[in-house]
Amino acid sequence: MSTVESERKARAYLLRVAEPPAPGLVGFVGAHGPVVAAERVRRGDCPPKVREETSARREYDRADHDLARAAAAGARLVVPEDEEWPAWPLHSLTLAAARGVQGSSPPLALWVRGELSLAEVVDGAVAIVGARAATAYGEHQATELAYGLADRGMAVFSGSAYGVDGAAHRGALAAGGPTVAVLGCALDAGYPAGHVSLQDRIAANGGAVVSEYPPGTPPARHRFLVRNRLIAALTEGTVVVEAGRRSGARNTAGTAGALGKAVMALPGPVTSATSVGCHTLIRESQATLVASVEEVVETVGRLGSGGAEPERPRRATDGLAPEALRVYEALPSRAGRSADRVAADSGVPVHTVRALLPALEIDGFASRGEAGWRRCPRRS
Amino acid sequence: MSTVESERKARAYLLRVAEPPAPGLVGFVGAHGPVVAAERVRRGDCPPKVREETSARREYDRADHDLARAAAAGARLVVPEDEEWPAWPLHSLTLAAARGVQGSSPPLALWVRGELSLAEVVDGAVAIVGARAATAYGEHQATELAYGLADRGMAVFSGSAYGVDGAAHRGALAAGGPTVAVLGCALDAGYPAGHVSLQDRIAANGGAVVSEYPPGTPPARHRFLVRNRLIAALTEGTVVVEAGRRSGARNTAGTAGALGKAVMALPGPVTSATSVGCHTLIRESQATLVASVEEVVETVGRLGSGGAEPERPRRATDGLAPEALRVYEALPSRAGRSADRVAADSGVPVHTVRALLPALEIDGFASRGEAGWRRCPRRS
């Protein structure tokens, strides 16, 4: 087994034996590396704090089983030793933990379903979170914000819950942009039941579904709060679209603020109970008011303040000629498709398709596999 | 003529000869007193800046005429030499002028219609301003805020315009609280035409209609901006309820900020064009978000921050027994009414009315004049 695979297996074991965040274990792994740390945890040869965090489950050595079960479901374990590990944004958790911010330890690894490389989309990424019991206004605004951000190539992160979260993911999908669902349960927990197919769509359309929790872990209230730190850390800013007086979205916003990220809230009618949390965040200067996509972009600092700056290409594919774009859009993002089938689907003559596909491959838009041609994950 | 009456006449003359704000003239009056200043202006014996401000109209010596015309319309000229002059809040203008804030000279005097003493209501007074083309949401919120503030005994100031202004005055009137309309034209200009009867109601129901402009002065765009400084100065805070991208209400808010007063804005749906100005003020930290009467009260600092503070009486009349309150409410605020008529109007037996009226007089709620009993101006 290669070094990285040994480390991956060690981290798969460690993710199962301690309930995150496990600050003692994270520090222990940082000091000794995952392989040695895993061996010592297994033997009980570790400092008291680590032993306490791992005592209940250290016998559960199911790493091979977990990795196989994940692979069977199209998921993988992304570890800090991988290139796609989003090291820079997660560093905000390490810094916060060092400052003594409770519950801000970074994850030991992340289970990921979907082809998206987190490292490639975290630059400019925005979290859109809010009430499950959102109003039509809140869902509409979440969809519009997510669509607008995704349309500008900015990844939209959320928590896959009903209401605002789901609307945000759907808005990003509608724009053909990357969206990431970070769960408070295992990828295979099937939660929430009504959003299983939404998670499938996210994973199949250039996005990712992400969790710290090993296969089979059910959702739990404390896990949503622990998960919130990942949403806050992996993005440059969090927008709260609707939130009642006590809301998990306000928890994410508070964490984002503690991590030094931009915290934003969308106002609404003062007569709406689901805007109370947003108004309070703004009134108490914990969040900046945002009323449009442009204001979100300005707040996360993606565009700087000058009006003279040349306009960014709205999408990576903006530079493609019309026929190349039609070919690109006819490519599946998973499995593969023959050039003939792409020609039929796109309406572009097959000899043109045969000429364009290698060009798209060189530019990083397409790749050829055993099953045929497929779309490459969108470049950030 | 008494000294005060000489000063009043001098100021009536000076209000007519210079278009406010007239910083040169204000300084000249401060240095020499109104009587000497008026004589010297009349002769043209004054510094160049004052001569410039007064050259066009210094021959218009219509003070007696203006005072008589105002008196005939139930108005009076309130001067700094009067006890009812709101000296303390207007001092914010003197300070701002000294700091070089453009157009922030205090008024030389104020034409006032209505029995209200401005000096008695400025403590805790709040301005509610906003778009003329307000939505139903904006008008409703302006009414509710004004009602709630007036119900707590806080005076509501506004500009008597259509939309938010009118709704604010009406809300305060509905609560039986004092409201003050500050105009950008003469008291007798009949502007805006659809609010002449509203101004009558304000003056007749314990409020006041106020202007710097001598009788006959028509409205003008620059006068509304000049007037805005008075609304900002006379109150402890300004709430912008609805405002488009470019709005006079934002000008009032800006002035209030420059004078060190609380600036507040009410949020609304981000889809509403008339909330854009409010959201911008909040987003740019020029205004504090307020979503309720309680938040306005908290922001202007009327109630401090402790929750243990005993509840204030909601109105001065809260201490009255039910029958006394019915008698009080049957009293007219102008002219006078016989005890028999009050008994008939209130449904309280006439012998009880005859016993209660002197008690109400002692407590400052009623007064007896040649025409009968009337209500005293509400105590602040």
Side-chain angles (χ1 to χ4, degrees), chain A residues 137 270 283 289 295 299, chain B residues 137 141 270 283 289 295 299:
Chain A
Y137 170 77
V270 298
R283 176 168 166 78
L289 183 151
E295 291 182 355
T299 305
Chain B
Y137 169 78
Q141 290 305 319
V270 298
R283 175 167 168 77
L289 183 150
E295 291 183 353
T299 306

Side-chain angles (χ1 to χ4, degrees), chain B residues 224-245:
Chain B
F224 295 121
L225 297 176
V226 167
R227 175 274 314 267
N228 288 348
R229 84 190 195 291
L230 297 182
I231 295 181
L234 288 168
T235 53
E236 295 196 357
T238 294
V239 184
V240 183
V241 167
E242 277 194 324
R245 203 169 284 278

Side-chain angles (χ1 to χ4, degrees), chain B residues 5 66 112 158 175 206 234 261 297 333 346 365:
Chain B
E5 293 317 307
D66 285 347
V112 176
S158 196
L234 288 168
K261 311 281 184 164
V297 171
S333 46
S346 65
F365 288 107

Side-chain angles (χ1 to χ4, degrees), chain A:
Chain A
M1 192 162 18
S2 74
T3 311
V4 172
E5 293 318 308
S6 305
E7 290 164 338
R8 194 180 318 281
K9 193 175 157 185
R11 288 183 184 270
Y13 163 74
L14 293 168
L15 274 186
R16 185 165 287 281
V17 298
E19 180 81 20
L25 180 59
V26 168
F28 192 61
V29 171
H32 302 283
V35 176
V36 171
E39 278 167 16
R40 291 186 51 185
V41 165
R42 207 175 273 119
R43 306 197 292 268
D45 170 22
C46 48
K49 189 174 181 194
V50 180
R51 201 152 49 220
E52 192 187 307
E53 288 168 3
T54 56
S55 63
R57 301 190 204 145
R58 70 185 171 88
E59 322 272 325
Y60 286 28
D61 195 351
R62 295 167 59 183
D64 286 327
H65 175 84
D66 285 346
L67 287 165
R69 186 167 161 188
R76 64 194 183 280
L77 185 66
V78 177
V79 296
E81 292 77 16
D82 288 325
E83 271 192 25
E84 63 172 311
W85 181 254
W88 180 247
L90 290 176
H91 192 57
S92 60
L93 287 171
T94 308
L95 292 175
R99 285 202 313 276
V101 177
Q102 275 290 319
S104 60
S105 296
L108 287 164
L110 291 169
W111 296 98
V112 176
R113 184 156 74 99
E115 290 169 355
L116 188 74
S117 156
L118 288 175
E120 282 182 17
V121 297
V122 287
D123 178 32
V126 172
I128 297 179
V129 297
R132 274 172 299 193
T135 66
Y137 170 77
E139 294 208 5
H140 181 75
Q141 291 305 319
T143 305
E144 289 289 306
L145 285 182
Y147 185 98
L149 293 169
D151 198 37
R152 283 163 176 75
M154 297 163 78
V156 174
F157 282 58
S158 195
S160 184
Y162 296 130
V164 167
D165 286 17
H169 290 305
R170 286 189 195 97
L173 285 170
T179 187
V180 178
V182 186
L183 309 185
C185 57
L187 298 182
D188 61 0
Y191 181 88
H195 277 180
V196 169
S197 65
L198 175 63
Q199 292 172 11
D200 290 345
R201 281 178 60 211
I202 292 170
N205 287 277
V209 185
V210 174
S211 170
E212 280 177 285
Y213 298 100
T217 310
R221 190 166 167 71
H222 72 274
R223 290 187 179 127
F224 295 121
L225 297 176
V226 167
R227 174 273 315 265
N228 288 348
R229 84 190 196 290
L230 297 182
I231 296 181
L234 288 169
T235 53
E236 296 197 356
T238 294
V239 183
V240 183
V241 167
E242 278 193 324
R245 202 169 285 280
R246 301 153 187 274
S247 162
R250 289 184 59 185
N251 172 275
T252 307
T255 306
L259 298 183
K261 311 282 184 163
V263 183
M264 296 158 274
L266 189 96
V270 298
T271 44
S272 169
T274 47
S275 284
V276 168
C278 294
H279 293 158
T280 303
L281 284 169
I282 297 167
R283 176 168 166 78
E284 296 178 351
S285 300
Q286 293 169 51
T288 300
L289 183 151
V290 288
S292 65
V293 173
E294 289 69 29
E295 291 182 355
V296 173
V297 171
E298 186 191 314
T299 305
V300 297
R302 177 81 168 188
L303 281 186
S305 57
E309 199 173 350
E311 206 185 343
R312 286 163 39 84
R314 293 169 66 218
R315 311 188 196 186
T317 52
D318 271 3
L320 295 181
E323 279 189 334
L325 186 60
R326 280 160 62 194
V327 168
Y328 171 77
E329 290 181 340
L331 293 173
S333 45
R334 296 183 69 82
R337 199 161 282 176
S338 69
D340 288 3
R341 170 78 190 282
V342 171
D345 287 356
S346 64
V348 175
V350 69
H351 64 271
T352 309
V353 170
R354 287 189 201 283
L356 281 171
L357 282 170
L360 286 170
E361 186 174 29
I362 289 166
D363 287 338
F365 289 106
S367 67
R368 187 180 350 211
E370 284 174 14
W373 289 92
R374 63 190 186 95
R375 190 186 290 198
C376 279
R378 184 176 302 284
R379 302 174 308 170
S380 71

Side-chain angles (χ1 to χ4, degrees), chain B residues 49 57 130 189 207 233 265 280 343 346 351 362 379:
Chain B
K49 191 174 181 194
R57 302 189 203 148
T280 304
S346 65
H351 65 270
I362 288 166
R379 301 174 308 171

Side-chain angles (χ1 to χ4, degrees), chain B:
Chain B
M1 193 164 15
S2 75
T3 311
V4 172
E5 293 317 307
S6 305
E7 289 164 337
R8 194 179 319 278
K9 193 175 157 184
R11 288 183 184 271
Y13 163 75
L14 293 168
L15 273 187
R16 186 164 286 281
V17 299
E19 179 82 20
L25 181 58
V26 168
F28 192 60
V29 170
H32 302 283
V35 175
V36 171
E39 276 167 18
R40 289 185 53 184
V41 165
R42 208 175 272 120
R43 301 198 295 267
D45 171 23
C46 49
K49 191 174 181 194
V50 180
R51 201 150 51 218
E52 192 187 309
E53 288 169 4
T54 57
S55 63
R57 302 189 203 148
R58 71 185 172 87
E59 321 273 323
Y60 286 28
D61 196 350
R62 296 166 58 182
D64 286 326
H65 175 84
D66 285 347
L67 287 164
R69 188 167 160 186
R76 63 194 183 278
L77 185 67
V78 177
V79 297
E81 292 77 15
D82 290 324
E83 270 192 26
E84 63 173 309
W85 182 254
W88 179 247
L90 291 176
H91 193 56
S92 61
L93 288 172
T94 308
L95 292 175
R99 284 202 314 275
V101 177
Q102 275 289 319
S104 60
S105 296
L108 287 164
L110 290 170
W111 297 98
V112 176
R113 185 155 75 99
E115 289 168 356
L116 188 76
S117 156
L118 288 176
E120 284 182 16
V121 296
V122 288
D123 179 33
V126 172
I128 298 180
V129 297
R132 275 171 298 192
T135 66
Y137 169 78
E139 294 208 5
H140 181 76
Q141 290 305 319
T143 305
E144 289 289 307
L145 286 181
Y147 186 99
L149 293 169
D151 199 37
R152 283 163 176 76
M154 296 163 80
V156 173
F157 283 58
S158 196
S160 183
Y162 296 130
V164 167
D165 286 17
H169 291 305
R170 287 190 194 96
L173 285 170
T179 186
V180 178
V182 186
L183 310 185
C185 56
L187 299 182
D188 62 0
Y191 180 88
H195 277 181
V196 169
S197 66
L198 174 64
Q199 292 172 12
D200 290 344
R201 280 178 62 210
I202 291 169
N205 287 278
V209 186
V210 174
S211 171
E212 280 179 285
Y213 298 100
T217 309
R221 188 167 168 71
H222 72 275
R223 291 188 179 126
F224 295 121
L225 297 176
V226 167
R227 175 274 314 267
N228 288 348
R229 84 190 195 291
L230 297 182
I231 295 181
L234 288 168
T235 53
E236 295 196 357
T238 294
V239 184
V240 183
V241 167
E242 277 194 324
R245 203 169 284 278
R246 300 152 187 274
S247 162
R250 289 185 58 186
N251 172 276
T252 307
T255 306
L259 298 182
K261 311 281 184 164
V263 183
M264 296 157 275
L266 189 95
V270 298
T271 45
S272 170
T274 48
S275 285
V276 168
C278 294
H279 293 159
T280 304
L281 284 168
I282 296 166
R283 175 167 168 77
E284 295 178 352
S285 300
Q286 293 169 49
T288 301
L289 183 150
V290 288
S292 66
V293 173
E294 290 67 31
E295 291 183 353
V296 173
V297 171
E298 185 192 315
T299 306
V300 298
R302 176 82 167 186
L303 280 186
S305 56
E309 198 173 350
E311 204 184 343
R312 286 163 41 84
R314 292 169 68 218
R315 310 189 196 185
T317 51
D318 271 3
L320 296 181
E323 280 190 331
L325 186 61
R326 279 160 63 194
V327 169
Y328 170 78
E329 290 182 338
L331 292 172
S333 46
R334 297 182 68 81
R337 199 162 283 177
S338 69
D340 288 3
R341 171 76 189 283
V342 171
D345 287 356
S346 65
V348 175
V350 68
H351 65 270
T352 310
V353 170
R354 284 189 202 283
L356 281 171
L357 282 171
L360 286 171
E361 186 174 31
I362 288 166
D363 287 338
F365 288 107
S367 67
R368 186 180 352 208
E370 285 175 13
W373 289 91
R374 63 189 185 95
R375 189 186 289 198
C376 278
R378 185 177 302 282
R379 301 174 308 171
S380 72

